[in-house]
Amino acid sequence: MRKLIIYTLISLLALSLSFNLFQFSNTEITCKNIDSRWKADMLYKMGHKKLDGDHDGIPCENLPYNHDR
């Protein structure tokens, strides 16, 4: 029983650490790091709502919309 509790606590600690690292990496995505609007659209749909500064539903409006890349 004691091993089960220890393994559960270690698992929760590892899960918490991975969530914190994931959130830290998400804060670095800005319009300056993206080179086309289709990438911004995909990231916006994946939950990066801060890419839309004026809250009109169009992220990174100043970027070109290239399908080539």
Side-chain angles (χ1 to χ4, degrees), residues 25-27 29 40 42-52 59:
S25 66
N26 283 343
T27 59
I29 296 176
M42 284 192 326
L43 289 168
Y44 183 76
K45 289 176 183 176
M46 291 173 60
H48 298 279
K49 302 298 181 187
K50 65 181 179 177
L51 293 176
D52 183 18

Side-chain angles (χ1 to χ4, degrees), residues 29-46:
I29 296 176
T30 62
C31 290
K32 294 177 184 176
N33 298 345
I34 304 168
D35 60 352
S36 65
R37 198 183 317 163
W38 70 270
K39 290 179 184 176
D41 288 339
M42 284 192 326
L43 289 168
Y44 183 76
K45 289 176 183 176
M46 291 173 60

Side-chain angles (χ1 to χ4, degrees), residues 3-69:
K3 285 185 179 183
L4 179 65
I5 293 172
I6 290 173
Y7 288 137
T8 304
L9 289 176
I10 290 173
S11 299
L12 289 175
L13 180 63
L15 186 64
S16 174
L17 180 63
S18 65
F19 281 145
N20 286 333
L21 291 174
F22 181 71
Q23 287 178 350
F24 179 71
S25 66
N26 283 343
T27 59
E28 296 178 5
I29 296 176
T30 62
C31 290
K32 294 177 184 176
N33 298 345
I34 304 168
D35 60 352
S36 65
R37 198 183 317 163
W38 70 270
K39 290 179 184 176
D41 288 339
M42 284 192 326
L43 289 168
Y44 183 76
K45 289 176 183 176
M46 291 173 60
H48 298 279
K49 302 298 181 187
K50 65 181 179 177
L51 293 176
D52 183 18
D54 55 0
H55 304 291
D56 63 350
I58 304 171
C60 301
E61 296 173 8
N62 59 341
L63 293 174
Y65 199 78
N66 298 334
H67 287 287
D68 301 339
R69 296 180 180 187

